[in-house]
Amino acid sequence: MENFFSTRVLKPSEQNIALAANELKKGEVVAIPTETVYGLAANALNESAVKKIFNAKGRPSDNPLICHIADVNDVFTLAKNVPKSAVLLAQEFWPGPLTMVLQSSGAVCPLVSAGLKTVGLRMPSHEVALKIIKAAGVPLAAPSANTSGSVSPTKAQDVFCDMQGKIKYIVDAGACMHGLESTVISLADENEAPVLLRPGTITKEQIEIVLKAELQVSTAITSELESGQKAQSPGMKYTHYAPNAKLILIDASTEKYIAYVNEIAKENKGVAALCFDGEQKALNCKAISYGAVENAKEQAQNLFSSLRKLDELGVQTAYAHCPNSEGIGLAVYNRILRAAAFRVVQL
Ligand code: TXA
Ligand code: MG
């Protein structure tokens, strides 16, 4: 796509929130902060506005968008046959980083649902996001504000790098609190148990406590779709979070990880490590830590910004120390596995 706009980064003043809401009402796209990652927002009821999101991101048109609301009651206008479990989950986790896929009422335009009969709904907790949705007066479709396939943005500067010239405004409210996208669950099939489609900082275990039942976990969360296998969520089919460097995940103890990377670094100066705190000093190559080994919440906060830093180093190959996949760790593992295009070395 050609670059048409000079992109402005706005502080989240009341005046700029009104300006952003006005742009959204006019059918334009605006990048907005949320507590997970920055989103590229447009009026979910306006087909031509939503189309601009797909164009700016270069997103495949069969990948649906999450629709953001500021009032729980909007669930009942945007979705139909809403199960009791969805109401319980909303009471517990909204506003917050949980997306529920429900049967669409047909109110959002077909492009938001990418032709499916369902719609993904989320009420974000970020104060600025809520103010913008309320001021716009419409539900906002918003995928992560990155170029399709690249690393999700956790700072306004990341959005600027990807969207410069493609959108007019980015509302900058600093770094996102969670750093990883929302947990996505499907409650759309009345005859099936709820399914976890994408892990996030609201964990499977937390959801199970509310549901008082086991949550099915899509196999696509921890393994590659087989050729011909149908994706439960279209987003599972696509390359994600890919840094420019070839990332390889090393599933090993600290000792083995360091020995393996140092052996490669002896011969090859163009490599880097994506490691845990304290491992840098033993590594004989450029190294970026994405958090403490036992702190999944911190790893979630840092992962995407660390992947962007790796690219700034300009290395060709990077070796990432594999995280523990318990609790929030499942979300970290899911993203890093995709960033590594499922290349894993087990030692
Ligand atoms: O935290 C987040 O969820 C962020 C912020 C901006 O809210 N948004 C985000 O959107 O991550 P996106 O488009 O990057 O990821 C949405 C994911 C995709 O994997 C998509 O396939 C899935 O949710 N999804 C959306 N609607 C769906 C639906 N109706 N059925 C199945 N999957 C759906
Ligand atoms: Mg995304």
Side-chain angles (χ1 to χ4, degrees):
M1 184 174 155
E2 287 174 57
N3 294 345
F4 290 111
F5 301 115
S6 72
T7 303
R8 282 182 57 202
V9 179
L10 307 172
K11 290 284 159 213
S13 62
E14 295 303 321
Q15 200 183 354
N16 286 336
I17 286 171
L19 185 157
N22 210 30
E23 285 292 307
L24 291 161
K25 280 188 201 164
K26 284 195 307 191
E28 295 303 327
V29 297
V30 177
I32 63 166
T34 84
E35 73 280 19
T36 57
V37 299
Y38 276 76
L40 194 58
N43 178 355
L45 310 179
N46 176 337
E47 189 89 357
S48 79
V50 173
K51 208 167 192 166
K52 290 176 188 170
I53 297 177
F54 282 86
N55 288 342
K57 277 185 66 91
R59 183 173 177 109
S61 59
D62 67 348
N63 194 2
L65 308 178
I66 293 171
C67 189
H68 297 69
I69 57 178
D71 180 343
V72 184
N73 292 315
D74 288 351
V75 169
F76 301 99
T77 45
L78 302 178
K80 64 177 185 189
N81 301 328
V82 178
K84 181 85 195 300
S85 52
V87 176
L88 293 175
L89 289 167
Q91 280 168 347
E92 182 71 23
F93 298 116
W94 280 1
L98 178 72
T99 297
M100 294 192 273
V101 174
L102 299 167
Q103 293 176 25
S104 174
S105 68
V108 300
C109 62
L111 210 47
V112 172
S113 296
L116 300 173
K117 292 191 166 68
T118 55
V119 63
L121 299 178
R122 156 163 135 79
M123 175 153 59
S125 64
H126 199 293
E127 197 196 335
V128 175
L130 287 172
K131 281 185 182 170
I132 293 173
I133 302 167
K134 281 184 194 150
V138 287
L140 297 180
S144 51
N146 51 284
T147 305
S148 200
S150 92
V151 179
S152 302
T154 56
K155 300 193 295 295
Q157 184 57 34
D158 302 340
V159 181
F160 190 82
C161 286
D162 281 25
M163 291 296 148
Q164 188 180 9
K166 296 181 179 170
I167 63 173
K168 274 206 267 186
Y169 298 108
I170 301 168
V171 180
D172 179 1
C176 300
M177 179 171 72
H178 295 293
L180 287 187
E181 305 89 340
S182 61
T183 304
V184 181
I185 66 165
S186 176
L187 302 162
D189 193 331
E190 287 154 273
N191 304 313
E192 297 273 344
V195 190
L196 180 66
L197 298 177
R198 182 176 71 183
T201 50
I202 292 177
T203 64
K204 172 179 181 280
E205 295 75 20
Q206 283 175 290
I207 293 169
E208 284 175 334
I209 291 171
V210 176
L211 292 177
K212 296 196 176 68
E214 209 181 317
L215 183 62
Q216 303 296 309
V217 177
S218 170
T219 53
I221 286 173
T222 52
S223 57
E224 205 167 3
L225 282 179
E226 310 211 347
S227 70
Q229 190 184 347
K230 192 176 177 304
Q232 287 169 297
S233 174
M236 291 168 175
K237 288 189 299 198
Y238 297 106
T239 310
H240 266 113
Y241 323 115
N244 298 326
K246 177 178 173 186
L247 193 70
I248 299 169
L249 201 53
I250 311 298
D251 186 2
S253 65
T254 292
E255 269 174 21
K256 284 188 178 166
Y257 168 70
I258 289 168
Y260 182 86
V261 176
N262 282 347
E263 192 58 34
I264 294 168
K266 265 191 212 162
E267 305 288 322
N268 188 341
K269 296 294 153 213
V271 301
L274 184 61
C275 62
F276 295 123
D277 288 353
E279 292 176 341
Q280 294 105 313
K281 56 184 184 300
L283 285 160
N284 300 326
C285 63
K286 289 174 185 163
I288 291 168
S289 167
Y290 69 106
V293 67
E294 74 290 355
N295 190 341
K297 199 170 163 203
E298 186 181 53
Q299 293 162 22
Q301 279 164 348
N302 294 334
L303 179 65
F304 288 152
S305 60
S306 301
L307 288 171
R308 285 188 181 254
K309 280 185 204 152
L310 259 188
D311 279 342
E312 286 162 20
L313 295 178
V315 293
Q316 277 156 8
T317 312
Y319 296 90
H321 199 173
C322 189
N324 182 319
S325 62
E326 301 289 304
I328 295 177
L330 182 63
V332 180
Y333 178 66
N334 167 263
R335 304 309 193 279
I336 205 166
L337 189 62
R338 276 168 175 70
F342 298 93
R343 288 177 289 256
V344 184
V345 175
Q346 238 139 9
L347 299 178

